[in-house]
Amino acid sequence: MNEKVAALLNDQINKEFYSAYLYLDIANFYTKKGLDGFANWYEVQAKEEQDHAMLMYRYLQNNGEEVTLEAIAKPDKNFETLMDPLKAGLEHEQYVTNLINTIYGAAQEVQDFRTTQFLDWFVKEQGEEEKNSMDQITKMKLFGDDARSLYMLNNELAARVYTTPSLVL
């Protein structure tokens, strides 16, 4: 595997674990606000991010690359309103999309087709992640000011369950 591509993937493992920390921080915010459904949604999201990190971890190992784990930064976002975490989530997903695209581009540049094929799933996943974030913002704009609607939205988010990604390495 190309040294630069391996280094980018290794760094992305850390970024994915950071994403999990960020989403747990968001879940904690919503728990304090009494919105257990919102908290559940972000706890599930945190588990997904951990899985993303582990998929990259295993991919590097399966390709004979050494994995170096670095310290995970503490989330530094401060949330005031119920909308703030949703906007932070979308901003973060857009950032992660850019990171994945950078790795993909580096792999394409050196014709590492195995890695580009591996990353195809992440490219698609990021599209879904951004759409989910945008949908939450839209729903909060529509319903967030009405207590009954917010209650229903909270119940909708409480129904989200964790599913393991179906990516074969």
Side-chain angles (χ1 to χ4, degrees):
M1 181 179 289
N2 176 273
E3 189 176 311
K4 178 182 177 184
V5 173
L8 287 168
L9 281 167
N10 198 91
D11 187 51
Q12 189 63 30
I13 292 169
N14 181 272
K15 300 276 197 286
E16 297 292 337
F17 280 126
Y18 172 81
S19 297
Y21 269 36
L22 175 63
Y23 291 138
L24 286 175
D25 195 41
I26 291 173
N28 189 44
F29 171 82
Y30 283 122
T31 296
K32 289 180 201 174
K33 298 293 184 183
L35 293 169
D36 59 331
F38 282 79
N40 173 69
W41 199 93
Y42 280 100
E43 287 169 4
V44 170
Q45 193 64 25
K47 289 177 188 174
E48 280 191 10
E49 301 302 340
Q50 290 171 333
D51 274 350
H52 296 170
M54 292 306 298
L55 287 167
M56 292 179 188
Y57 172 90
R58 183 66 60 211
Y59 179 77
L60 284 172
Q61 286 185 334
N62 288 348
N63 284 279
E65 295 296 326
E66 186 173 329
V67 175
T68 304
L69 299 175
E70 301 292 341
I72 301 168
K74 178 182 176 182
D76 62 351
K77 300 284 185 190
N78 292 314
F79 308 120
E80 303 281 327
T81 70
L82 297 179
M83 180 67 83
D84 289 345
L86 303 179
K87 288 181 178 177
L90 174 59
E91 179 183 298
H92 185 73
E93 289 302 337
Q94 290 168 335
Y95 168 70
V96 172
T97 296
N98 186 43
L99 294 170
I100 297 295
N101 290 343
T102 298
I103 302 167
Y104 198 100
Q108 272 187 324
E109 190 175 300
V110 296
Q111 297 185 343
D112 182 349
F113 302 118
R114 184 181 318 158
T115 299
T116 57
Q117 185 179 30
F118 168 72
L119 291 171
D120 283 342
W121 182 87
F122 288 94
V123 170
K124 180 178 180 261
E125 177 72 5
Q126 282 310 119
E128 292 173 12
E129 300 287 16
E130 286 187 30
K131 183 181 182 325
N132 288 339
S133 293
M134 289 185 284
D135 288 350
Q136 284 187 349
I137 290 170
T138 298
K139 288 177 182 180
M140 183 61 86
K141 284 179 182 176
L142 289 170
F143 309 121
D145 292 333
D146 176 69
R148 284 181 280 191
S149 296
L150 183 61
Y151 176 80
M152 291 173 62
L153 181 55
N154 187 61
N155 284 340
E156 176 185 317
L157 296 175
R160 184 180 188 202
V161 294
Y162 175 72
T163 56
T164 304
S166 58
L167 176 64
V168 178
L169 300 181

